[in-house]
Amino acid sequence: MSSSRTPLLVAPQLRGREYAEAHAAETDRWFSKVASEAIDDLDGIALLAVGGYGRGELSPFSDIDVVLVHGDGIDGGEVAEALWYPVWDRGLKMGYVVVTPEQAEVLLAEEFEWATAFLDTRLVAGEPELMDRIDRLTERAWRERRDGLLAHLATTVEVRHQTRGDVAFQIEPHLKEGRGGLRDVHALGWATRALPGFADDFLDELATDVDTLLEARVELHRLTNRVGDILTLDEQEGVAEALGDDDSEQLMLRLALAARRIAWHSDEAWSRWDRAKRYTSDDGRSTESSDAIPLSSTAVPDTSQFQAGRGLVAVRPEIDIAADPLVLLRLAVLAAETGLVMSRRSLAEIARADAVIPEPWSPEARQLFASLFLAGRSAISVVEDLDQFGLMERLLPEWVNVLCRPQRNVLHTFTVDRHLCEAAANASGLVSRVERPDLLVVGALFHDIGKGFDGDHTEVGMEVIAEVGERMGYPPDDLAVLVDLCRHHLLLPDVATRRDLADPGTLKAVAAAVDSVAFLDMLAALTEADSIATGPSAWGSWKAGLLRDLVNRTTHILEGGSLDELVATEFPTPEVAATMAAGKRELTGAGTTFTVVDEERLGLFTTMAGVLAVCGLEVLDAAAYSEDADPSSDAAGGSTTPMAACQFVLQPPQSGTVEWERVIAVAERALDGRLALQARVARKARERARYQRRLAADPPRREIMIDNDISAVATVVEVHAPDEIGLLYRLTQVLRELHLDIRTAKVQTLGPQVVDSFYLQDGAGRKVTDPDLVSELRLALRETIAE
């Protein structure tokens, strides 16, 4: 049998829909030829194209789905064998079923997938009458069971969205099955054929967006020479080049915009179908008048401009929208506070009116804008609706720069605009912690606005916020807060996860930056809201605890407290110190904390870092302590070997619990010199690299920072490098080689990037200030993280 993977139509000059339709037509011709050569008489037989082939959307390596329908007295298996073997010999992948009309009727009744597949049917060869009969059976099945089938279809759409995620947000989107993907359009088509009027208008509007996704899918097949719908990071540049995009970022932005429109229209179609069901009686009459729902809002005391009913809130017909630009904000706030959906007709009328809020904004306009996001998560769908009518951009012209902009890093779940909305919604749940809830949610919405512009996103963001805030009429003091929230939005998470919180210099620097407890509280709330909005790997109990500790310590200083009054977090603890004094080895594992005490001669910290790498465990935080050798013990004939201790806080493994018995056994072997630690770490790294996929579009940073100003007692070294198994082990080998003591170590993983921070002292317990030693340290670390 041939192993050819060449599609029936190559035609590299054709793109997207043009290629898919031409490929389907060529497949029709090929099948017709096969049928005429293999079967003498096609009476009582119909070969039907279904699925993507039936719709004429046949990508290069899509499955060719067909149905062979035959009448009574015809051996369907024999006919199928004559037709299928040429397909298999050609190396084509086919999905098929062989049925009589009666069997097709059973399939329609029992198999939902076939109930939808038969909606996309086209005759390839044989009797048209048989296809007509299948079409009539399909029409009857959907007519008789329409409500149940549509409900089932709606459920499959919802489940698929939950499983596959959003095409617009995924770093490696599923072009077909994701939310906003091609399958959403297929579902709208099926529902419209079952219920005319369901989404006829939307299908026409989405044609260009469908073509955008289909073009990418066709080129993905061509590039990989196989079937596939997940556009991986490795393939994005090639697909972008094939489609004429400047780069993969431009491609992903186009795809995100198209997918967002498809997703919105899909959600809207299913939502209005659901509303129609809920507000229509069995005899077809409306169960609620248009103004039956009373409206009330704390942010919009006078709701007389609006009416509500059938799940919608709308502007009353007699209101002159052009004369009152704040109608838009009032409508948005009412929708967010009540959970009602803004009338699409009202949104379209507001868009046509082109009424712009006068600058600078009035206090009412600013309060309404803040109230929209103070309403919580419901504001996210409101902003999505505004975006579809170009109204968010009218309120905030800079919004177009972040709209659907992919972040292209696995650390980030959402596009920039959605991330900002998520952060603002999260912040709304934290307003009880701050004095100015309005500034908190607006600051959260603005904190990453600079990502839509060239340059450092914080520096640019501060400039953009200053311009926006002035246009919105914020008083100077309020505007300064918004700018400073952007300026310092990474301060607390970076310090909490990369610095020693017991170090006085670190705490003084944070206190000086935030200046007041009120601003510190607001910045802490923003940090939490931002981290949660970033994604699950950016927030957890460990980071929350570090942030809480940092905020408490900084608050103590800002309120006039002494550094000496702070509870020390220094290592070793009294229990560990007692074990060291006894001069005995002890290894303990509890929860996610691993503590080891032993003789220092083996380089304890480095050895344990290697052990944890071999065991596949990731370090979050670490501390170390070693004794100086005691000359008096040597004079007395005793051992001069100093004791050392180290403690590691670990990332919980996927299994949920650390297998401490195994970890301690491996550690004992390493300490006893019975484990080829370096070789095992290297092998573990190779194994991981073999299966590791790309986690970001841009390559990870490789940088070394050596600072003698942050801490009063230690040199701080910060290493930015790709996240690799054994990196901490290799870095600490360098430090050991240079006879540098690790007092504290912090490890922050940011998707594909890791930031390892070390507080170091030389052999005399001082900072590392010797220029030659600093130079050697920098050289050694740079070589360790080099590609």
Side-chain angles (χ1 to χ4, degrees):
M1 185 178 294
S2 169
S3 59
S4 169
R5 293 296 298 157
T6 304
L8 289 172
L9 180 68
V10 178
Q13 76 281 8
L14 300 181
R15 289 183 180 175
R17 183 172 300 282
E18 188 179 6
Y19 170 84
E21 291 176 349
H23 188 198
E26 180 61 27
T27 304
D28 286 352
R29 286 190 289 271
W30 187 83
F31 254 130
S32 296
K33 184 173 182 291
V34 167
S36 63
E37 292 176 353
I39 304 171
D40 295 331
D41 185 3
L42 292 175
D43 288 345
I45 297 170
L47 182 64
L48 309 181
V50 296
Y53 178 28
R55 290 187 299 272
E57 290 183 4
L58 203 57
S59 295
F61 293 98
S62 293
D63 290 358
I64 300 172
D65 294 327
V66 296
V67 175
L68 179 63
V69 185
H70 64 89
D72 295 335
I74 294 177
D75 188 339
E78 182 179 336
V79 174
E81 186 173 328
L83 291 173
W84 299 168
Y85 269 102
V87 178
W88 295 328
D89 285 341
R90 182 63 175 73
L92 303 176
K93 189 175 181 182
M94 182 177 63
Y96 65 90
V97 67
V98 181
V99 293
T100 63
E102 292 75 19
Q103 290 169 331
E105 188 172 14
V106 173
L107 277 179
L108 283 163
E110 298 181 354
E111 301 287 342
F112 177 76
E113 290 74 14
W114 283 106
T116 55
F118 278 122
L119 288 171
D120 294 316
T121 304
R122 196 181 70 255
L123 181 67
V124 177
E127 281 193 14
E129 291 79 7
L130 278 175
M131 189 192 79
D132 291 342
R133 186 173 176 187
I134 294 297
D135 285 346
R136 289 193 298 272
L137 288 171
T138 303
E139 182 183 351
R140 187 175 73 186
W142 278 89
R143 184 177 63 251
E144 293 177 351
R145 301 164 46 222
R146 185 180 67 190
D147 290 347
L149 288 171
L150 283 175
H152 189 101
L153 181 56
T155 299
T156 64
V157 169
E158 183 178 351
V159 170
R160 179 167 46 76
H161 289 174
Q162 294 172 352
T163 304
R164 296 292 189 179
D166 284 65
V167 173
F169 302 147
Q170 298 291 311
I171 186 172
E172 296 184 326
H174 199 296
L175 299 175
K176 183 178 178 181
E177 300 289 346
R179 179 173 177 266
L182 293 168
R183 185 63 82 198
D184 275 352
V185 182
H186 303 159
L188 292 180
W190 296 331
T192 300
R193 282 193 283 281
L195 180 62
F198 183 91
D200 310 63
D201 49 346
F202 290 171
L203 290 170
D204 292 337
E205 289 182 37
L206 294 174
T208 301
D209 300 309
V210 174
D211 287 347
T212 297
L213 296 186
L214 192 55
E215 281 183 352
R217 186 175 190 239
V218 167
E219 296 308 324
L220 176 61
H221 281 209
R222 283 172 166 163
L223 187 65
T224 59
N225 201 42
R226 59 179 171 81
V227 66
D229 296 301
I230 298 178
L231 185 54
T232 66
L233 282 165
D234 290 332
E235 314 301 346
Q236 288 170 14
E237 202 65 50
V239 171
E241 183 178 353
L243 292 176
D245 290 293
D246 292 339
D247 51 33
S248 57
E249 184 173 353
Q250 185 181 70
L251 166 69
M252 300 310 291
L253 176 58
R254 289 199 304 111
L255 291 175
L257 285 165
R260 284 278 280 273
R261 282 191 288 265
I262 291 172
W264 185 86
H265 283 84
S266 173
D267 290 349
E268 172 62 13
W270 288 107
S271 177
R272 68 186 185 185
W273 170 73
D274 183 64
R275 289 197 301 270
K277 284 196 310 173
R278 284 189 287 123
Y279 297 114
T280 304
S281 63
D282 293 338
D283 61 4
R285 291 182 299 177
S286 173
T287 59
E288 185 177 344
S289 63
S290 61
D291 58 351
I293 299 177
L295 285 169
S296 62
S297 166
T298 55
V300 187
D302 181 6
T303 61
S304 61
Q305 293 177 312
F306 308 97
Q307 61 187 24
R310 297 177 64 85
L312 300 174
V313 56
V315 180
R316 290 186 178 276
E318 65 271 17
I319 299 300
D320 184 357
I321 294 173
D324 187 354
L326 293 189
V327 166
L328 168 58
L329 280 173
R330 295 189 192 107
L331 177 66
V333 170
L334 282 173
E337 288 188 348
T338 62
L340 298 172
V341 176
M342 292 183 291
S343 161
R344 303 326 186 205
R345 181 176 298 175
S346 292
L347 289 174
E349 290 173 352
I350 292 172
R352 286 193 297 270
D354 199 24
V356 178
I357 299 174
E359 298 175 7
W361 285 18
S362 65
E364 181 187 3
R366 291 196 300 275
Q367 187 56 46
L368 285 168
F369 186 77
S371 296
L372 170 58
F373 298 97
L374 286 167
R377 298 203 60 79
S378 57
I380 296 174
S381 59
V382 171
V383 171
E384 189 75 27
D385 291 345
L386 296 178
D387 276 333
Q388 293 300 320
F389 290 86
L391 295 173
M392 191 64 183
E393 180 184 344
R394 182 181 299 176
L395 294 171
L396 185 64
E398 293 79 4
W399 193 252
V400 71
N401 293 79
V402 296
L403 183 63
C404 286
R405 183 166 296 279
Q407 308 220 50
R408 313 204 61 207
N409 185 309
V410 73
L411 181 70
H412 294 277
T413 300
F414 301 109
T415 52
V416 178
D417 62 321
R418 179 60 179 268
H419 168 74
L420 295 176
C421 289
E422 291 279 341
N426 294 339
S428 72
L430 306 174
V431 296
S432 61
R433 305 180 188 177
V434 301
E435 294 179 1
R436 288 291 301 274
D438 58 328
L439 294 183
L440 173 62
V441 294
V442 174
L445 185 73
F446 288 170
H447 78 279
D448 269 349
I449 195 77
K451 287 185 175 180
F453 302 83
D454 294 333
D456 178 84
H457 83 278
T458 298
E459 295 295 329
V460 176
M462 290 161 56
E463 296 176 3
V464 173
I465 291 169
E467 294 175 4
V468 171
E470 186 174 346
R471 195 169 65 236
M472 296 176 74
Y474 279 103
D477 288 348
D478 289 356
L479 182 53
V481 170
L482 294 176
V483 171
D484 280 346
L485 284 173
C486 176
R487 185 196 314 275
H488 296 304
H489 76 277
L490 296 176
L491 173 67
L492 298 186
D494 284 354
V495 170
T497 56
R498 301 180 190 178
R499 298 290 178 261
D500 182 358
L501 302 188
D503 181 73
T506 298
L507 297 176
K508 288 179 181 178
V510 174
V514 299
D515 192 50
S516 71
V517 173
F519 183 75
L520 174 64
D521 290 341
M522 194 174 297
L523 194 61
L526 172 61
T527 298
E528 182 173 339
D530 181 23
S531 298
I532 295 171
T534 297
S537 60
W539 186 253
S541 58
W542 174 73
K543 185 174 179 179
L546 290 177
L547 179 64
R548 186 165 52 250
D549 189 19
L550 173 59
V551 170
N552 289 340
R553 289 169 177 271
T554 306
T555 299
H556 177 80
I557 294 173
L558 289 170
E559 291 178 342
S562 167
L563 286 168
D564 296 335
E565 296 172 341
L566 292 171
V567 177
T569 59
E570 304 242 348
F571 185 79
T573 62
E575 294 79 10
V576 172
T579 303
M580 294 176 69
K584 63 178 183 178
R585 176 189 295 178
E586 184 174 280
L587 296 86
T588 58
T592 57
T593 301
F594 183 40
T595 306
V596 181
V597 176
D598 197 28
E599 296 178 347
E600 171 56 26
R601 62 188 176 190
L602 291 173
L604 188 63
F605 190 98
T606 300
T607 302
M608 291 304 102
V611 165
L612 294 172
V614 169
C615 294
L617 295 169
E618 296 185 20
V619 177
L620 293 174
D621 200 354
Y625 179 79
S626 59
E627 297 175 335
D628 295 326
D630 184 0
S632 63
S633 64
D634 186 47
S639 171
T640 61
T641 304
M643 296 297 290
C646 53
Q647 188 172 78
F648 299 84
V649 177
L650 308 178
Q651 174 74 36
Q654 291 184 345
S655 62
T657 57
V658 179
E659 297 179 29
W660 286 119
E661 186 175 342
R662 171 176 174 264
V663 173
I664 291 173
V666 174
E668 293 275 13
R669 290 174 59 197
L671 292 173
D672 291 339
R674 296 183 294 108
L675 187 73
L677 188 57
Q678 189 167 346
R680 286 187 173 275
V681 171
R683 186 169 72 177
K684 190 77 173 181
R686 286 195 303 273
E687 290 173 354
R688 175 175 173 178
R690 189 179 308 146
Y691 300 105
Q692 190 173 23
R693 65 184 182 91
R694 283 179 65 184
L695 300 177
D698 298 324
R701 293 166 56 193
R702 298 174 190 267
E703 294 180 9
I704 307 295
M705 185 275 289
I706 301 176
D707 189 288
N708 271 312
D709 296 326
I710 296 174
S711 171
V713 297
T715 295
V716 177
V717 173
E718 191 170 280
V719 180
H720 296 252
D723 183 21
E724 299 172 353
I725 284 285
L727 176 64
L728 182 61
Y729 172 65
R730 299 199 306 274
L731 292 173
T732 56
Q733 280 184 313
V734 166
L735 303 178
R736 179 187 170 201
E737 182 181 57
L738 295 174
H739 296 183
L740 298 176
D741 288 335
I742 301 170
R743 292 309 181 187
T744 305
K746 299 266 189 177
V747 179
Q748 182 185 30
T749 302
L750 303 169
Q753 183 85 44
V754 66
V755 183
D756 285 357
S757 303
F758 304 96
Y759 280 67
L760 304 178
Q761 292 178 340
D762 62 16
R766 297 186 297 262
K767 288 185 179 184
V768 185
T769 56
D770 177 10
D772 291 337
L773 183 54
V774 170
S775 179
E776 289 301 300
L777 173 60
R778 190 182 302 277
L779 171 64
L781 292 173
R782 186 179 293 123
E783 288 300 314
T784 301
I785 66 173
E787 293 186 69

